[in-house]
Amino acid sequence: MTKILNKKILITGGAGFIGSNLCEYFLVDNEVICLDNFSTGYRHNIERFLSNSKFTLVEGDIRDFKTCELAVSGVDYVLHHAALGSVPRSINDPITSNEVNVSGFLNMLTASRNANVKRFIYAASSSTYGDSEALPKREDVIGKPLSPYAVTKYVNELYADVFSKTYGIETIGLRYFNVFGRNQDPNGAYAAVIPKFVAQFLNHESPVINGDGEFSRDFTYVDNVIHMNELAMLTENPEAINTVYNTAFGERTTLNELVNTLKEFLSAYDKEIATVPIVYAQNRVGDIPHSLASIDKAKALLNYQPQFSMKEGLKEAVKWYWNNLQEKSKK
Ligand SMILES: NC(=O)c1ccc[n+]([C@@H]2O[C@H](COP(=O)([O-])OP(=O)(O)OC[C@H]3O[C@@H](n4cnc5c(N)ncnc54)[C@H](O)[C@@H]3O)[C@@H](O)[C@H]2O)c1
């Protein structure tokens, strides 16, 4: 059972990786509206919810203000996740990333304020730490953004802060750190590293690590992210609202460790994977060497306790990808 009950929740980007997991979780005890234009999300992520009378799909674009107004009407909470992710995508096409991530965000925030929603919770990003070398990352010490994507996510925080001060709308930003888990897309040029490596291993192809593999990330299982969204909805502590939180497990893993753990877990399903070699290539532009979150603020103000370590989450994710592959091969 969810701790949020009988509310009307708008999940933008609800057909995407994180959004579809949020839809599934909150739909158990609430009404869920999913707003998505399927640009990077998939109908198959939400197909099974379509027959549920508590689920509504609004197929539309957050760049259109009227669509945002329609979707947010009568809503208690907004979990804003629609955006164009990926640093390389934003480097290739900064204009579209800005239109969706900044103008689209402002549309949703304005529509939410006009509709008097109880709270606007949004997907912020660890990319906001930019060139700050401090480790672990604490919410109040950020550097300069290293990509157009990072700029858009930082601007989201600035708008949310200004809107809460100027108009009184309650906002909470969740700075996600390398989220992974079920429904994450392994395909395309902008796929995240975990689903991409899993798909490569399953095809007996070598995963390619950019750099020497000693860069590290605070890989965060999607269930910890769901938990943080729920805590952000639940809190009534004024100190905990109108601010941002790192959303992570709070440990870092190098890419070499990651790829070896994946290999080990996947080999339990397919022994041949143990023999697949790893390939190393050049570092990517805009990549920071290390990322590690302090989760002290979320622990202190939201009572956050991450439920899955990186390895526990990875085991679940690998099982999901394997089962998914078996189901597809039966069709
Ligand atoms: N996955 C991560 O590790 C991570 C890390 C930091 C921040 N985030 C943020 O979390 C959010 C969700 O990310 P995700 O990994 O689930 O990505 P995703 O691409 O799977 O989901 C984004 C969803 O937004 C939808 N969308 C994009 N543009 C839209 C538009 N103009 N109108 C309506 N819908 C639109 C897409 O179709 C997709 O379903 C994003 O805001 C992303 O920036 C994710």
Side-chain angles (χ1 to χ4, degrees), residues 10-296:
L10 168 62
I11 302 174
T12 71
F17 156 46
I18 299 172
S20 59
N21 278 291
L22 291 168
C23 286
E24 180 173 42
Y25 181 75
F26 285 110
L27 195 51
V28 174
D29 296 307
N30 299 276
E31 210 180 309
V32 168
I33 298 147
C34 161
L35 167 58
D36 206 295
N37 71 348
F38 296 101
S39 56
T40 60
Y42 293 95
R43 206 166 283 274
H44 62 72
N45 283 341
I46 55 164
E47 199 86 60
R48 61 196 183 285
F49 313 141
L50 293 173
S51 57
N52 188 328
S53 59
K54 292 188 296 176
F55 184 79
T56 308
L57 169 65
V58 178
E59 187 168 349
D61 198 308
I62 56 166
R63 285 170 288 187
D64 178 50
F65 185 64
K66 285 215 159 14
T67 300
C68 299
E69 280 187 311
L70 171 83
V72 81
S73 166
V75 157
D76 298 299
Y77 294 93
V78 176
L79 306 180
H80 179 62
H81 286 72
L84 288 176
S86 158
V87 163
R89 185 203 311 271
S90 77
I91 292 172
N92 290 339
D93 181 2
I95 292 177
T96 311
S97 285
N98 191 78
E99 283 169 358
V100 174
N101 297 7
V102 178
S103 301
F105 180 92
L106 185 57
N107 283 341
M108 266 319 308
L109 187 59
T110 305
S112 301
R113 180 207 64 167
N114 293 351
N116 288 317
V117 302
K118 156 92 183 122
R119 193 166 296 159
F120 182 90
I121 294 158
Y122 62 97
S125 167
S126 61
S127 63
T128 295
Y129 289 103
D131 66 1
S132 162
E133 286 178 5
L135 281 183
K137 309 290 182 198
R138 292 188 194 282
E139 284 82 347
D140 49 355
V141 183
I142 60 168
K144 286 210 171 112
L146 291 170
S147 67
Y149 173 72
V151 172
T152 69
K153 286 291 169 176
Y154 182 43
V155 172
N156 288 178
E157 293 188 8
L158 296 174
Y159 267 126
D161 188 49
V162 165
F163 265 58
S164 61
K165 286 185 183 129
T166 311
Y167 306 112
I169 179 175
E170 293 185 359
T171 69
I172 293 183
L174 301 175
R175 284 184 190 158
Y176 295 156
F177 280 67
N178 294 80
V179 186
F180 69 94
R182 56 196 179 274
N183 292 359
Q184 193 172 24
D185 188 9
N187 300 309
Y190 303 125
V193 66
I194 292 181
K196 193 158 77 182
F197 285 178
V198 170
Q200 285 166 328
F201 272 134
L202 289 173
N203 286 329
H204 298 167
E205 288 164 13
S206 290
V208 180
I209 293 183
N210 297 110
D212 65 1
E214 287 308 302
F215 277 18
S216 62
R217 295 287 180 268
D218 197 333
F219 293 105
T220 307
Y221 188 53
V222 68
D223 283 10
N224 296 331
V225 168
I226 295 174
H227 183 46
M228 273 294 281
N229 274 270
E230 188 165 51
L231 294 173
M233 292 159 92
L234 285 170
T235 185
E236 288 305 336
N237 172 3
E239 236 190 289
I241 303 165
N242 303 332
T243 188
V244 294
Y245 295 93
N246 289 341
T247 299
F249 179 65
E251 262 176 35
R252 68 193 168 100
T253 305
T254 66
L255 285 171
N256 285 326
E257 286 164 345
L258 170 74
V259 88
N260 286 321
T261 310
L262 276 177
K263 201 180 208 188
E264 180 196 325
F265 288 170
L266 284 163
S267 304
Y269 295 95
D270 173 355
K271 285 194 175 54
E272 254 186 68
I273 290 173
T275 63
V276 175
I278 318 294
V279 169
Y280 291 84
Q282 292 248 307
N283 277 333
R284 284 190 325 186
V285 184
D287 266 353
I288 52 163
H290 302 291
S291 184
L292 167 68
S294 157
I295 53 170
D296 292 350

